[in-house]
Amino acid sequence: MFSRFVFAMFLSVAVASISQVLLKKSALKTYNTVVREYLNPYVISGYGLLFLSMLLTIYAYSGMEYKNGPVIESLGNVVVLVLGYFVFGERISVRKMAGIACIMAGIAVFHI
């Protein structure tokens, strides 16, 4: 059953994935000082989104079955792969596709 709690969990996965992209963007840049390395818009936004993702996850678990959480969270790997392809131009290798296929198969087996 699709409820607002399940929607919140999907939203949490999307927000966490965007956060990972922002943190990677920051890691790929060079900075003049160590302080600037950790206090820049990408890092602050990335950790802010991770905090938001945590709050969404807590809210989602308050109204959905716990067994569904890890299944939805595993979709984060798929989202990060897709975002990496579009944002960074990363290649999607056969190994990555095999990993994604295993994740999707696991989700399918769980819901059968």
Side-chain angles (χ1 to χ4, degrees), residues 84-98:
Y85 175 77
F86 286 110
V87 175
F88 299 111
E90 294 177 349
R91 289 187 31 163
I92 299 178
S93 66
V94 173
R95 288 179 78 161
K96 289 179 183 178
M97 286 305 294

Side-chain angles (χ1 to χ4, degrees), residues 4-104:
R4 67 179 187 258
F5 301 107
V6 174
F7 176 76
M9 185 61 88
F10 278 108
L11 185 60
S12 171
V13 169
V15 168
S17 300
I18 292 168
S19 167
Q20 289 183 34
V21 168
L22 290 174
L23 292 171
K24 184 170 182 173
K25 274 184 133 352
S26 176
L28 293 175
K29 294 177 114 184
T30 55
Y31 298 96
N32 297 336
T33 65
V34 175
V35 173
R36 189 83 174 121
E37 189 172 330
Y38 293 101
L39 292 178
N40 64 67
Y42 290 124
V43 171
I44 293 168
S45 300
Y47 283 116
L49 288 176
L50 278 178
F51 184 74
L52 175 62
S53 174
M54 179 196 66
L55 294 177
L56 286 167
T57 300
I58 291 169
Y59 172 74
Y61 275 126
S62 72
M64 64 183 258
E65 293 184 53
Y66 291 137
K67 68 179 183 175
N68 293 326
V71 175
I72 297 170
E73 286 283 340
S74 67
L75 290 173
N77 295 308
V78 179
V79 175
V80 168
L81 177 77
V82 171
L83 287 175
Y85 175 77
F86 286 110
V87 175
F88 299 111
E90 294 177 349
R91 289 187 31 163
I92 299 178
S93 66
V94 173
R95 288 179 78 161
K96 289 179 183 178
M97 286 305 294
I100 295 302
C102 287
I103 290 169
M104 299 308 281

